[in-house]
Amino acid sequence: MALRVVVTGAAGQIAYSLLYSIAKGDVFGSDQKVELVLLDIPPMMTVLSGVVMELQDCALPLVEKTIATADPDEAFKGCDAVIMVGAMPRKDGMERKDLLKANARIFETQGKSLNEFAKKTVKVLVVGNPANTNCVLALRSAPSIPSANFTCLTRLDLNRAQAQVAYRLGRPCEAVSNLIIWGNHSSTQFPDAAHASVASADGSVSSVYDAVKDDAWLTGEFIKTVQSRGGTVLKARKLSSAMSAAKAIGDHMRDWWFGTKENKWVSMGVLSDGTKYGIPEGIIYSMPVKINADKSWSVVEGLSISDFAREKMDVTAKELLEEKEMAIQFLSA
Ligand code: NAX
């Protein structure tokens, strides 16, 4: 049976890389048929028709059907997975609160539509910024779907952190594991190497702190580089990260679908229940999670938190509480 997979913002630049990756089986499995549903706004329908043509021209065996639409209700009908990339971009002169306001409506509306039309088992990944807060708004509008079925993307930040450590040590990226991104997908996020390890060429495993032997780098430049990487790419490319974002979305969704490997964890934005690591209840906060084969996830517990980490984790939690409050105020105005 084909999986019905919806990608919103399907005429945009991230979707252009992402759709190909899904269509050729990188995300849901190399033998899993998919029905691709491409959602965007009415002015983008011509562009979207070009994307549909290109997907057809890829002549990929796994794609059973491709549907392009501007109607969320039609898009979400009976869907199994939704990747919410579509969002209002920040325009020149636009303040952060204006961006929050414009997107709050989009995610509230699409959440309501998911509530009514999606399968109750649907897995929803929010990418469009501000991703954590948009994710909270979508899940609040979809009370008939378990809140654990909503997560937001911080995997790009995690991949960036992993690559920074790997390059520093001259090791392949997959040799570095269990880094953590805490908090918001914004410049307040906290990339944390305190519990991470690296495998050396002879197979022995050591902590990243022992291998790097430069605490000042790990608590300084490393964190800043990851926090500001999106802006650095934007400055150089004159466009925001798209290829790496699509790769990260694929990584996140594949791990959610098939589970994480033993003794490994990944970071994703999940709804805080207020009982883990002193993170306030009710915000979508990036944490280390393990994912089971049945697609359920649990936060990795029992990690020690230093005073240094505590401070950084609280700063990003505070920002998320403020964002959420502001967005809810907009919606009730
Ligand atoms: P683009 O501007 O290229 O594409 C966005 C697409 O969304 C456009 O085609 C637009 O028409 C569509 N759209 C707008 N409102 C919509 C609505 N109500 N329903 C459906 N579609 C709608 O942006 P792109 O570079 O693809 O980035 C998309 C989003 O991802 C942005 O919000 C961006 O900030 C965010 N990102 C989030 C990341 C994360 O790690 N969470 C990393 C990558 C990226 O920056």
Side-chain angles (χ1 to χ4, degrees), residues 125-205:
L125 166 58
V126 176
V127 178
N129 277 318
N132 301 54
T133 300
N134 289 340
C135 188
V136 168
L137 299 179
L139 76 84
R140 276 167 53 99
S141 306
S144 71
I145 299 169
S147 53
N149 295 12
F150 288 80
T151 62
C152 91
L153 186 77
T154 54
R155 185 60 170 264
L156 177 54
D157 308 297
L158 184 65
N159 287 351
R160 286 167 173 163
Q162 191 180 8
Q164 287 300 314
V165 171
Y167 287 128
R168 171 96 185 187
L169 293 171
R171 297 289 302 137
C173 288
E174 65 269 23
V176 180
S177 40
N178 296 353
L179 286 155
I180 301 170
I181 302 295
W182 298 99
N184 201 358
H185 169 68
S186 76
S187 55
T188 66
Q189 66 175 260
F190 171 40
D192 182 7
H195 310 280
S197 56
V198 58
S200 59
D202 67 11
S204 62
V205 176

Side-chain angles (χ1 to χ4, degrees), residues 131-140 147 150 269-276 278-287 317 319-325 327-328:
N132 301 54
T133 300
N134 289 340
C135 188
V136 168
L137 299 179
L139 76 84
R140 276 167 53 99
S147 53
F150 288 80
V270 296
L271 187 66
S272 168
D273 65 3
T275 67
K276 317 281 184 326
I279 307 305
E281 187 181 355
I283 50 175
I284 291 276
Y285 191 98
S286 180
M287 300 198 218
E319 182 182 54
L320 282 168
L321 283 170
E322 286 166 4
E323 270 187 20
K324 181 183 167 187
E325 199 180 312
I328 289 172

Side-chain angles (χ1 to χ4, degrees), residues 8-9 11-15 39-41 44 85-89 106 110 127-129 131 153 156-157 185 240-241 245:
T8 78
Q13 56 152 1
I14 292 176
L39 177 72
D40 211 291
I41 50 177
M44 298 306 286
V85 184
M88 173 82 81
I106 294 176
Q110 294 189 354
V127 178
N129 277 318
L153 186 77
L156 177 54
D157 308 297
H185 169 68
S240 55
S241 307

Side-chain angles (χ1 to χ4, degrees), residues 5-286:
V5 180
V6 185
V7 175
T8 78
Q13 56 152 1
I14 292 176
Y16 193 71
S17 294
L18 174 65
L19 286 164
Y20 176 60
S21 177
I22 296 172
K24 71 184 182 39
D26 291 348
V27 181
F28 297 101
S30 56
D31 53 2
Q32 173 63 58
K33 300 251 185 214
V34 288
E35 197 176 297
L36 285 175
V37 185
L38 279 49
L39 177 72
D40 211 291
I41 50 177
M44 298 306 286
M45 286 302 110
T46 308
V47 174
L48 202 55
S49 70
V51 178
V52 171
M53 283 186 253
E54 279 212 69
L55 277 167
Q56 289 168 348
D57 297 347
C58 287
L60 290 160
L62 295 178
V63 182
E64 269 197 356
K65 209 195 257 183
T66 310
I67 300 156
T69 179
D71 176 4
D73 294 355
E74 183 194 345
F76 297 143
K77 204 166 276 171
C79 62
D80 298 284
V82 179
I83 303 170
M84 300 179 93
V85 184
M88 173 82 81
R90 194 167 183 160
K91 294 182 191 135
D92 264 357
M94 204 177 190
E95 302 223 357
R96 194 162 147 262
K97 67 173 174 13
D98 299 327
L99 183 76
L100 203 62
K101 192 175 180 178
N103 282 300
R105 265 304 159 230
I106 294 176
F107 285 82
E108 182 193 48
T109 308
Q110 294 189 354
K112 283 182 182 157
S113 178
L114 281 167
N115 191 51
E116 198 169 337
F117 294 100
K119 282 187 185 162
K120 300 306 169 202
T121 51
V122 67
K123 302 288 178 274
V124 182
L125 166 58
V126 176
V127 178
N129 277 318
N132 301 54
T133 300
N134 289 340
C135 188
V136 168
L137 299 179
L139 76 84
R140 276 167 53 99
S141 306
S144 71
I145 299 169
S147 53
N149 295 12
F150 288 80
T151 62
C152 91
L153 186 77
T154 54
R155 185 60 170 264
L156 177 54
D157 308 297
L158 184 65
N159 287 351
R160 286 167 173 163
Q162 191 180 8
Q164 287 300 314
V165 171
Y167 287 128
R168 171 96 185 187
L169 293 171
R171 297 289 302 137
C173 288
E174 65 269 23
V176 180
S177 40
N178 296 353
L179 286 155
I180 301 170
I181 302 295
W182 298 99
N184 201 358
H185 169 68
S186 76
S187 55
T188 66
Q189 66 175 260
F190 171 40
D192 182 7
H195 310 280
S197 56
V198 58
S200 59
D202 67 11
S204 62
V205 176
S206 50
S207 82
V208 163
Y209 266 83
D210 285 348
V212 169
K213 296 189 185 70
D214 186 348
D215 293 10
W217 182 77
L218 284 167
T219 53
E221 200 186 323
F222 161 69
I223 294 175
K224 278 212 180 72
T225 301
V226 177
Q227 286 173 332
S228 58
R229 189 68 161 186
T232 313
V233 169
L234 175 64
K235 209 167 157 201
R237 215 171 79 87
K238 316 277 184 282
L239 285 169
S240 55
S241 307
M243 177 173 46
S244 54
K247 157 71 167 56
I249 293 168
D251 289 346
H252 178 124
M253 216 59 197
R254 191 180 50 251
D255 284 344
W256 199 356
W257 220 256
F258 296 106
T260 44
K261 296 191 185 107
E262 220 180 318
N263 301 321
K264 296 270 158 79
W265 62 70
V266 292
S267 293
M268 54 190 202
V270 296
L271 187 66
S272 168
D273 65 3
T275 67
K276 317 281 184 326
Y277 299 109
I279 307 305
E281 187 181 355
I283 50 175
I284 291 276
Y285 191 98
S286 180

